[in-house]
Amino acid sequence: MTDWVQVRENGFAVPEGPPVRELVAELVGMLRSPDPGVRDRQAYSTLATWIDRGVLSEPELRALGDELVPRFADPEIQARTFVPLILDSIVTAGVFEPGWVPPFERWYVGERDLRGYDEKLGWLHAVAHGADLLGALGQHPAVEPVQMLRLGIGRLLTPTPYVFRDMEDDRLGYALAATLTRDDLTGNDVTDWLDPALRVLANPPAEGITPEVTNVVRTLRVLYVFADHGLRIGSAKKLTPIPRREQLKARLADVLRIFTPYWL
């Protein structure tokens, strides 16, 4: 068994001895651990760092993605929610498989456990972790950006008892904004994905404001800020503007005024 605490203390240098594939297999097993120290601080941190540094080859990254995707259906919440984080790293590193997208989409809108932090399990963060992958896919040329925009609004509108409290709205708002920087989006593409939110907010349930409505409003406010000011993509120092930002802002204002007529 590798001393992963020591690996972390050594700046995530690849330990000598075992082949990288064996080390990765060990980390993949640890990635579903209920112990957040093992899962997050050791397995995830090491894998993400190695992927970013180019330690894994393209075939190894593709194999890693293929191995992790079935975990979207895992019975353990922590196993499910750490898959999108690693896939985000893989896609950002330039490796992509179209077959990874449908399982992610099904999981993202269907996940019921939206807790951000659990005292025993640590960070779970399904919405935020999924948003990171959504943003990476939304910027990938092989993925239709509208597909990711619709996925984001679908996640927001799915009924839930959970009101975002751990910056999920910021993470998803950023992912939507990153997707909207695609220059192949038409004017209708930039606005039409918001139509489901407009319909839902225009017909509020009799019992009052539901958690998903609150989540929609908060996330779209975040998106409005990005549309107004631009956003930093990756490690870029300059802000990237959303190409059709005035059209987007006008539509966002239409949606947000339904519940907050004094806003904008």
Side-chain angles (χ1 to χ4, degrees), residues 74-82 111 113 115 121 124 126:
D74 196 280
E76 299 291 336
I77 177 63
Q78 77 280 355
R80 299 194 297 271
T81 61
F82 272 72
E111 180 59 65
D113 190 342
R115 289 173 293 165
L121 295 174
L124 301 172

Side-chain angles (χ1 to χ4, degrees), residues 105-122:
E105 292 177 311
R106 289 192 293 271
W107 167 76
Y108 199 44
V109 294
E111 180 59 65
R112 295 181 178 273
D113 190 342
L114 304 187
R115 289 173 293 165
Y117 186 82
D118 179 81
E119 290 186 1
K120 292 183 177 180
L121 295 174

Side-chain angles (χ1 to χ4, degrees), residues 46-255:
T46 304
L47 277 172
T49 301
W50 285 2
I51 292 169
D52 182 61
R53 292 178 180 173
V55 172
L56 279 67
S57 67
E58 180 176 334
E60 288 171 331
L61 289 174
R62 206 173 300 279
L64 177 58
D66 288 342
E67 183 176 0
L68 288 177
V69 163
R71 286 193 188 177
F72 279 126
D74 196 280
E76 299 291 336
I77 177 63
Q78 77 280 355
R80 299 194 297 271
T81 61
F82 272 72
V83 175
L85 283 182
I86 298 299
L87 287 180
D88 171 33
S89 295
I90 293 172
V91 172
T92 301
V95 177
F96 168 75
E97 280 292 336
W100 297 342
V101 179
F104 165 60
E105 292 177 311
R106 289 192 293 271
W107 167 76
Y108 199 44
V109 294
E111 180 59 65
R112 295 181 178 273
D113 190 342
L114 304 187
R115 289 173 293 165
Y117 186 82
D118 179 81
E119 290 186 1
K120 292 183 177 180
L121 295 174
W123 285 107
L124 301 172
H125 239 182
V127 173
H129 291 180
D132 293 352
L133 178 55
L134 186 152
L137 293 173
Q139 297 171 79
H140 196 283
V143 178
E144 287 291 336
V146 173
Q147 184 180 352
M148 292 298 105
L149 295 172
R150 290 173 177 167
L151 177 62
I153 204 67
R155 173 63 272 178
L156 286 169
L157 292 172
T158 299
T160 177
Y162 182 80
V163 176
F164 296 162
R165 70 174 192 178
D166 291 310
M167 306 296 287
E168 295 93 341
D169 40 10
D170 283 69
R171 295 271 281 275
L172 185 47
Y174 175 83
L176 294 169
T179 302
L180 284 158
T181 62
R182 290 272 295 264
D183 58 11
D184 54 343
L185 286 164
T186 68
N188 288 338
D189 291 339
V190 167
T191 58
D192 288 358
W193 65 278
L194 288 163
D195 288 351
L198 191 64
R199 290 192 293 270
V200 169
L201 269 62
N203 297 282
E207 63 269 22
I209 299 176
T210 60
E212 59 269 19
V213 168
T214 298
N215 295 339
V216 167
V217 171
R218 290 180 178 179
T219 304
L220 295 186
R221 284 175 181 163
V222 170
L223 178 56
Y224 189 96
V225 173
F226 284 126
D228 196 42
H229 292 276
L231 64 153
R232 287 185 175 85
I233 302 293
S235 59
K237 294 183 178 180
K238 290 186 177 181
L239 294 174
T240 298
I242 292 176
R244 299 177 183 271
R245 67 174 193 161
E246 294 302 328
Q247 189 172 351
L248 173 63
K249 285 166 58 181
R251 191 57 167 169
L252 287 170
D254 289 341
V255 176

